[in-house]
Amino acid sequence: VLGPSQAVVELVHVNCEGCEYDVIDGLRAAGLLSRVEHVQIATHLLDFLGPTATFHEAVELSLQVSAKRYCEMHEILSQTHVRVWGLPWVWERWTLRTDVSQSRMRAPM
């Protein structure tokens, strides 16, 4: 998708009603996250799709699943980026860390 190994994407803007966690994980798994200067992301609560006894149990399980995926996404992003602003479950903006950017520029083409 990006072409040459030094190609850079200035901004990835993600607002996909729950798939943002998979998008970030996919960019990391493909080794592309360090080539993205800025990530702007809307985070959403996920639905728990398993069987539950009550509505309250379903809400609690949804919150647990959502918090787990949110924390995993933060862990992935903080390996290459720093959060410059944001509110959980609303919008966040992450910028490539200077050390990652500089090591990318030193890498052979």
Side-chain angles (χ1 to χ4, degrees):
V1 167
L2 288 176
S5 63
Q6 295 301 308
V8 174
V9 173
E10 290 293 325
L11 173 67
V12 169
H13 176 92
V14 183
N15 184 6
C16 56
E17 305 305 319
C19 75
E20 59 271 12
Y21 309 105
D22 294 329
V23 169
I24 297 302
D25 191 42
L27 287 169
R28 180 206 47 84
L32 299 175
L33 198 53
S34 65
R35 293 166 61 185
V36 177
E37 291 289 332
H38 305 281
V39 177
Q40 189 166 288
I41 190 162
T43 51
H44 301 86
L45 295 175
L46 301 171
D47 292 329
F48 179 76
L49 302 177
T52 60
T54 66
F55 171 77
H56 289 24
E57 182 182 358
V59 170
E60 183 175 329
L61 291 170
S62 290
L63 290 172
Q64 289 175 11
V65 168
S66 298
K68 179 181 183 296
R69 293 299 307 272
Y70 181 82
C71 290
E72 290 170 350
M73 183 186 70
H74 268 236
E75 170 115 8
I76 290 168
L77 283 168
S78 49
Q79 292 172 11
T80 52
H81 292 71
V82 62
R83 191 173 85 164
V84 292
W85 58 260
L87 294 170
W89 317 118
V90 184
W91 278 101
E92 299 180 17
R93 184 174 180 115
W94 294 72
T95 297
L96 192 64
R97 290 190 345 228
T98 305
D99 61 315
V100 175
S101 178
Q102 288 173 348
S103 69
R104 184 187 66 213
M105 291 185 334
R106 289 190 300 268
M109 293 185 113

